[in-house]
Amino acid sequence: MHKPAPNGAANFTTSTYRRCGDQTAMACETGQAIDRAGVLAAAMKAKSPMRGAAWLATFVTTVLMVFLLFLAPVFAQDAPNTTDFPQDRQVTPAFAANVKLDGKELFVVRGSHVLPADERAKRVEERLIEAAEASDSATVDIQVVDGEFGKNIIVNGKMVTVVAPLDAEYEQLSQEFLAALQAERIEAAILEYRSRRSHSARVESTKEAVAYTIGFLIISYFFFSRRKRVVNAVGRVVKKQSKDLETVTKSMVRTRAIAALVSYLMNLLLWVIYLILFYYFLSFVLISFAETRMIAEVLLSTVSDPLINLVRGIMDYIPNLITLIIIFIVARFTLQGVKLFFDNMESGLIEIESFEKQWIAPTLFLVRIVIIMIALVFAYPYIPGSNSAAFQGLTLLAGVMLSLGSNTVVSNMMAGLFVIYRRSTNIGDRIQVGDKVGDVVEIKLMETLIKSTKNEMISIPNAQLLNSEIVNYTRHVDGRGILVHTTVGIGYEEPPEKVVAMLKEAAFRTKGLLKNPDPFVLWTQLGDYAINYEINAFTTRGMSLPKIRSDLHEHIVEVFNENSTQIMTPSYIADTEIPKIPEGPWDGKLALAKKPVKEPEPAKEPKPEPAKEQAETKAAAKTEPAKTTKAKPRRRSLRSRKKS
């Protein structure tokens, strides 16, 4: 019970704190200085005999501080509001702290720079413990009296705390009402403190601790005696169930390895459960006794509070989770619809003018990327921890690493898009990139695959393909086709008209070269020892270009041999006696092509007779009379003939 006491029943000097939420730092410090000056003056008034000097110092200090208060709004124009903690009602060790008794929070006290809140709360707790342990009575004599600095709360004749006006302002309550509430909380806390340390309470605590210990011993017995059996039983079940998996995968997945892994995880799970039970057993035993209750609360708070906060966070996150699920469902159905649209385009059910078929796959890929990026943008604010600085820093770091490490990848991807959409190369075209010639098999986003004329699969990065000169032998610039050409060097002694006629004849004999337009010959160079002639002829068979060029070379050699014309002139050694000039004008006739002579077919060897026929032949030879045959003369060897 508590009752108010007359004024002056008890005096308690405490430090007050001025509210700084709506003031600047300078104004706040000025107000605090005024409070400290008032406290100092009160102390001097009570103890010093020089009361006049004290009042003079107080007056001068007050005038100076009031002057600074009037100047504070001038500095407030540029000063930031950095001391708004009372508006947010934050409990910080410097300006506000909780008063606890036996681990239970009672109320909050304010502090200042001179006397921080945590130190003031500690002093109040010490006085409460002293008052609670002073007696075993079931009643508490508590009073609320008016003091010089506020409402003083007195327990059993001793002052415990002071409710200052700024404490009431912090709680946004009246000073009298806040003092009454704190007195009631103090009375209940002291009575509870005494009841927990009574004889009957200790007996009940001992019974609870014994019950917890017996229960944990039973759990420990079953854990250590049955743990291996449970683990082995789980391993046998897994081994039995995974035999079919081993058969299907052709022993790639071993049953024994799976069983060992599952057994290890089961053993680990049992140990984790046992350690959790031991943790809570120890906490409950300690919490049964008043002296160890603080230790138990610390143990419980280190694990239980994070778990409770995690559960609360999960429950609070459920609305955001539902939003993410909705975004995922919408994005998934959108992707399915886009894929269905492009599948119909590929099958021909949907046609778009000037949209080539090879664009379907890369366009589908790009549209999917855009949809996924839009979904991520919408989902980002609802991802847990997306607003934290750590998550944002990690995202920034991942972006920097990705940008630095994927320059080649991004360049190849962009080059692949240019290669696909600029129509320079299509699948099936025969192209030449550098010294590589082949047919385009597949154009991917990162690379292009070509099949060479030697049946080799060549992978060319799209960045190289974009930066290189590409010769496309499949596409025709006009209706005449591709111009096939080759160069031969003929000496100056051969008539040029004859050489031109021979080269045209070789072009006419080559299959795949067009006769209309006519082949033509160009003089490409007048060398030191020969004239370089270039034969040119059109063809529409770009895919057979290597074969056509090979046949052309073959026919050139054939025609020149028929006409006794040397293609390559030897390098210069010395001047010949006869100048290298034509012997006379060319008669305009080429030698006729010689018909190939058929080689006689080799004589067929007699087939070996079967075993049965050989036996019959031997039997007939025995019955028939022996026929005399003349011995053929043996041929002498080449060595013996040379000797003779």
Side-chain angles (χ1 to χ4, degrees):
M1 56 181 294
H2 66 277
K3 56 184 179 179
N7 294 337
N11 291 327
F12 177 70
T13 303
T14 182
S15 177
T16 58
Y17 181 80
R18 180 172 299 274
R19 178 169 180 169
C20 303
D22 300 326
Q23 299 176 359
T24 62
M26 183 175 181
C28 178
E29 292 294 332
T30 305
Q32 293 173 3
I34 293 175
D35 294 338
R36 290 195 292 270
V39 172
L40 179 61
M44 294 178 64
K45 177 181 179 181
K47 297 181 180 180
S48 176
M50 300 176 65
R51 296 183 179 179
W55 281 113
L56 180 61
T58 303
F59 177 77
V60 173
T61 305
T62 304
V63 171
L64 180 61
M65 296 307 167
V66 170
F67 177 74
L68 292 176
L69 275 175
F70 280 101
L71 290 180
V74 178
F75 297 97
Q77 297 178 358
D78 298 326
N81 187 7
T82 59
T83 57
D84 56 349
F85 67 91
Q87 294 180 354
D88 298 335
R89 302 179 62 82
Q90 298 177 355
V91 179
T92 58
F95 303 109
N98 291 316
V99 176
K100 299 180 181 179
L101 180 61
D102 212 4
K104 184 178 180 180
E105 295 181 0
L106 302 181
F107 50 86
V108 179
V109 294
R110 295 285 298 276
S112 65
H113 292 287
V114 178
L115 182 63
D118 54 349
E119 185 176 350
R120 181 186 174 191
K122 186 177 179 181
R123 294 181 181 180
V124 174
E125 291 172 1
E126 292 176 354
R127 297 190 190 100
L128 289 175
I129 294 174
E130 182 180 355
E133 293 179 350
S135 173
D136 295 336
S137 176
T139 60
V140 179
D141 182 16
I142 186 168
Q143 298 176 353
V144 178
V145 299
D146 293 331
E148 184 177 0
F149 302 105
K151 299 292 183 179
N152 298 338
I153 300 177
I154 300 175
V155 177
N156 295 332
K158 293 184 179 181
M159 211 274 294
V160 174
T161 184
V162 175
V163 179
L166 291 180
D167 291 330
E169 184 181 359
Y170 177 80
E171 297 289 350
Q172 297 181 359
L173 298 172
S174 65
Q175 190 175 2
E176 292 78 7
F177 184 65
L178 180 60
L181 290 179
Q182 290 187 4
E184 291 180 359
R185 295 295 300 272
I186 291 173
E187 181 181 5
I190 291 176
L191 292 176
E192 184 179 0
Y193 183 89
R194 292 175 179 177
S195 65
R196 287 179 179 177
R197 287 158 178 79
S198 63
H199 178 71
S200 59
R202 294 184 186 280
V203 172
E204 293 295 331
S205 300
T206 304
K207 291 180 181 180
E208 291 179 2
V210 171
Y212 289 143
T213 304
I214 293 174
F216 184 74
L217 289 176
I218 295 173
I219 293 174
S220 300
Y221 170 76
F222 281 104
F223 174 77
F224 289 105
S225 61
R226 304 292 181 180
R227 178 178 55 84
K228 292 184 179 180
R229 295 183 182 181
V230 173
V231 172
N232 294 334
V234 172
R236 288 193 297 269
V237 172
V238 172
K239 187 181 296 183
K240 183 178 179 181
Q241 295 294 330
S242 59
K243 282 184 178 179
D244 297 336
L245 181 62
E246 184 176 1
T247 304
V248 171
T249 58
K250 297 180 181 180
S251 300
M252 292 182 63
V253 179
R254 297 290 183 181
T255 303
R256 185 177 301 176
I258 297 177
L261 179 60
V262 174
S263 299
Y264 171 77
L265 295 177
M266 187 64 187
N267 188 25
L268 181 63
L269 178 62
L270 291 176
W271 271 108
V272 170
I273 294 174
Y274 178 77
L275 293 177
I276 291 175
L277 292 177
F278 174 75
Y279 171 79
Y280 281 103
F281 156 73
L282 184 62
S283 300
F284 290 154
V285 170
L286 293 176
I287 208 172
S288 300
F289 300 95
E291 290 78 8
T292 58
R293 189 178 185 88
M294 294 293 295
I295 301 175
E297 289 181 354
V298 172
L299 288 176
L300 289 174
S301 62
T302 54
V303 174
S304 300
D305 289 350
L307 291 177
I308 293 173
N309 293 333
L310 178 62
V311 174
R312 289 178 179 175
I314 293 174
M315 297 300 294
D316 295 338
Y317 183 69
I318 288 178
N320 293 341
L321 181 62
I322 294 175
T323 305
L324 289 178
I325 293 174
I326 294 174
I327 294 174
F328 172 77
I329 293 174
V330 172
R332 182 176 179 82
F333 278 100
T334 305
L335 291 174
Q336 290 179 353
V338 170
K339 187 176 185 304
L340 180 62
F341 175 79
F342 282 98
D343 288 343
N344 291 331
M345 287 187 62
E346 189 173 6
S347 61
L349 297 177
I350 299 177
E351 295 183 359
I352 298 178
E353 187 179 359
S354 69
F355 192 89
E356 299 186 3
K357 195 171 184 179
Q358 63 267 18
W359 293 355
I360 295 177
T363 306
L364 174 61
F365 176 78
L366 293 177
V367 173
R368 287 168 61 92
I369 292 296
V370 171
I371 293 174
I372 292 173
M373 294 299 295
I374 293 175
L376 288 177
V377 169
F378 279 102
Y380 181 82
Y382 303 98
I383 298 175
S386 59
N387 295 327
S388 63
F391 186 87
Q392 295 174 358
L394 185 62
T395 306
L396 181 62
L397 178 62
V400 172
M401 293 176 62
L402 185 63
S403 62
L404 293 178
S406 60
N407 290 333
T408 305
V409 176
V410 173
S411 62
N412 282 326
M413 291 178 62
M414 297 302 296
L417 296 177
F418 280 104
V419 170
I420 292 171
Y421 288 103
R422 74 176 184 177
R423 302 182 181 181
S424 61
T425 302
N426 294 327
I427 296 176
D429 291 354
R430 172 155 291 186
I431 63 174
Q432 179 179 357
V433 183
D435 58 343
K436 308 295 183 182
V437 180
D439 303 329
V440 179
V441 176
E442 186 177 2
I443 302 176
K444 298 182 179 180
L445 199 60
M446 300 290 297
E447 61 181 356
T448 298
L449 301 179
I450 64 173
K451 183 179 180 182
S452 68
T453 55
K454 304 297 183 182
N455 203 25
E456 299 168 342
M457 189 63 68
I458 303 174
S459 174
I460 301 177
N462 286 331
Q464 178 183 351
L465 196 68
L466 184 65
N467 297 326
S468 303
E469 295 181 356
I470 302 175
V471 180
N472 196 323
Y473 296 110
T474 304
R475 294 192 175 185
H476 300 157
V477 179
D478 50 28
R480 295 180 296 177
I482 301 173
L483 190 62
V484 181
H485 57 86
T486 187
T487 303
V488 294
I490 308 299
Y492 287 94
E493 66 274 10
E494 295 294 338
E497 297 86 356
K498 178 182 178 182
V499 175
V500 171
M502 288 188 293
L503 290 175
K504 288 185 178 181
E505 177 63 21
F508 289 143
R509 294 184 185 182
T510 303
K511 293 182 179 179
L513 294 180
L514 300 178
K515 297 179 176 56
N516 187 15
D518 292 336
F520 58 92
V521 178
L522 300 176
W523 292 31
T524 59
Q525 185 182 7
L526 298 176
D528 294 336
Y529 315 113
I531 302 175
N532 291 336
Y533 300 91
E534 182 184 77
I535 176 66
N536 297 269
F538 288 95
T539 181
T540 57
R541 301 179 182 179
M543 303 295 291
S544 303
L545 196 60
K547 174 64 175 174
I548 294 174
R549 186 176 282 112
S550 175
D551 292 344
L552 177 60
H553 292 162
E554 180 182 355
H555 292 141
I556 288 174
V557 174
E558 184 182 49
V559 172
F560 275 65
N561 289 341
E562 292 171 357
N563 291 273
S564 302
T565 302
Q566 181 179 350
I567 294 179
M568 297 300 297
T569 301
S571 298
Y572 176 83
I573 298 177
D575 293 334
T576 58
E577 297 180 358
I578 302 174
K580 295 292 184 178
I581 57 175
E583 296 179 355
W586 180 53
D587 57 1
K589 296 181 180 179
L590 295 176
L592 298 176
K594 297 180 180 179
K595 296 182 179 180
V597 180
K598 294 184 179 181
E599 298 180 357
E601 297 181 358
K604 296 182 180 180
E605 298 181 358
K607 296 182 179 180
E609 298 180 356
K612 186 176 180 180
E613 295 179 358
Q614 291 180 3
E616 293 177 355
T617 304
K618 289 181 179 179
K622 289 180 180 180
T623 55
E624 293 180 1
K627 298 181 180 179
T628 58
T629 57
K630 294 182 180 180
K632 294 182 180 179
R634 298 177 61 186
R635 295 182 178 179
R636 293 185 299 172
S637 63
L638 180 61
R639 184 178 297 177
S640 60
R641 289 201 299 268
K642 285 183 177 180
K643 289 181 180 180
S644 61

